[in-house]
């Protein structure tokens, strides 16, 4: 192989490249021994975002991940880094199994992803390059609604809105008003009759003031899946 390579990156991977490298064909030095994956990663592109690398002599075509992306065990289970709390609540709202804590460091996140067979979602490119990480994905978008659309489009997880606790990811179950009445404020006791409770943490939910906004999030998620 030559001492230089010509790499072609699709437009959706340009966000990972330095501005000077966002060109149709990028010439880079090559030492003759490094893997093509290492070359791609050294330019800032996490291999979790690469769907394939095809070489023809010194011309290397880097392909993006196909969507929807198939998961190794067919199960859509995620763990999110500390910066994606709003996304975690939205994923749980639409019924996607989503682990999240705001006190885990990088090593703990990777350990949890491996132990529970979860895909790590993050905006930290360095974290995605850790060799111990079994599966990960870069989350596109700055706002939580954009991030939710990206994750649903990429992985197409089955949705089950209103079945998970947005606080802890536990399963929700209907509960009689009489069982939770002592936990409610007077206004809620007077105006609400339908309740669900988390089987894990005991949090109680009802259609409150923000319900219309939550319904909009759910409806938007269903449209992505349609």
């Amino acid at each position: 192989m030559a001492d230089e390579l010509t790499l072609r990156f699709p437009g959706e991977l340009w966000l990972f490249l330095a501005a000077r490298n966002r060109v149709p064909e990028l010439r880079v030095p090559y030492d003759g021994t490094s893997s093509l994956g290492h070359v791609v990663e050294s330019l800032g592109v996490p291999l979790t975002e690469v769907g394939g690398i095809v070489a023809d002599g010194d011309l290397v075509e880097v392909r993006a991940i196909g969507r929807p992306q198939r998961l190794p065990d067919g199960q859509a289970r995620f763990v999110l880094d500390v910066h994606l709390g709003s996304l975690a609540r939205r994923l749980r709202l639409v019924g996607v199994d989503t682990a999240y804590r705001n006190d885990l460091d990088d090593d703990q996140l990777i350990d949890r992803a491996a132990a529970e067979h979860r895909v790590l979602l993050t905006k930290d490119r360095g974290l995605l390059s850790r060799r111990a990480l079994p599966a990960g994905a870069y989350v596109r978008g700055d706002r939580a609604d954009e991030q939710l659309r990206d994750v649903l489009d990429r992985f197409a997880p089955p949705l089950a809105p209103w079945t998970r606790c947005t606080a802890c990811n536990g399963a929700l179950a209907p509960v009689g008003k009489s069982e939770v009445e002592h936990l409610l404020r007077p206004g809620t006791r007077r105006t609400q009759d339908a309740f669900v409770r988390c089987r894990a943490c005991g949090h109680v939910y009802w259609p409150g003031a923000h319900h219309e906004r939550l319904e909009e999030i759910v409806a938007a998620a269903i449209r992505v899946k349609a």
Side-chain angles (χ1 to χ4, degrees):
M1 197 171 273
D3 57 2
E4 279 193 325
L5 297 175
T6 299
L7 283 82
R8 293 176 179 169
F9 289 93
E12 55 262 52
L13 295 183
W14 279 24
L15 80 159
F16 300 109
L17 298 171
R20 65 181 182 278
N21 292 335
R22 295 171 185 171
V23 293
E25 293 190 348
L26 175 63
R27 295 288 294 178
V28 298
Y30 181 60
D31 61 12
T33 59
S34 297
S35 70
L36 294 179
H38 178 78
V39 174
V40 169
E41 222 170 19
S42 71
L43 293 168
V45 181
L47 294 183
T48 60
E49 310 310 299
V50 174
I53 302 175
V54 179
D56 183 5
D58 66 346
L59 178 62
V60 180
E61 181 182 357
V62 183
R63 297 172 179 172
I65 287 285
R67 295 190 177 214
Q69 179 181 350
R70 294 195 175 190
L71 297 173
D73 60 0
Q75 299 295 316
R77 294 186 298 270
F78 302 102
V79 57
L80 277 58
D81 75 19
V82 297
H83 304 292
L84 296 176
S86 294
L87 173 60
R89 289 188 291 274
R90 281 164 171 76
L91 285 168
R92 290 168 176 175
L93 174 65
V94 298
V96 178
D97 187 350
T98 304
Y100 172 80
R101 282 175 48 182
N102 62 7
D103 60 351
L104 298 183
D105 62 26
D106 290 355
D107 290 335
Q108 290 171 319
L109 282 169
I110 292 173
D111 288 345
R112 185 164 190 181
E116 300 179 9
H117 304 286
R118 294 181 181 273
V119 178
L120 174 61
L121 301 182
T122 181
K123 293 183 75 69
D124 184 340
R125 304 178 198 182
L127 189 53
L128 292 174
S129 298
R130 297 277 291 272
R131 293 290 178 259
L133 179 66
Y138 182 85
V139 177
R140 290 161 171 79
D142 295 322
R143 297 173 57 250
D145 289 342
E146 297 168 344
Q147 295 167 353
L148 178 62
R149 285 195 298 271
D150 178 61
V151 173
L152 297 182
D153 178 68
R154 177 165 177 170
F155 294 102
L159 303 184
W162 316 109
T163 62
R164 287 188 179 273
C165 176
T166 57
C168 81
N169 198 44
L172 299 180
V175 62
K177 184 175 182 177
S178 61
E179 296 181 58
V180 296
E181 200 163 8
H182 63 289
L183 301 173
L184 308 177
R185 294 181 177 179
T188 303
R189 284 199 299 269
R190 185 173 61 254
T191 60
Q192 301 295 327
D193 294 305
F195 300 91
V196 294
R197 181 166 56 189
C198 176
R199 290 174 173 169
C201 73
H203 195 95
V204 178
Y205 295 88
W206 61 91
H210 301 294
H211 191 70
E212 184 174 340
R213 169 60 180 148
L214 298 180
E215 286 184 323
E216 291 173 357
I217 293 172
V218 169
I222 292 172
R223 286 195 297 271
V224 173
K225 286 277 292 177

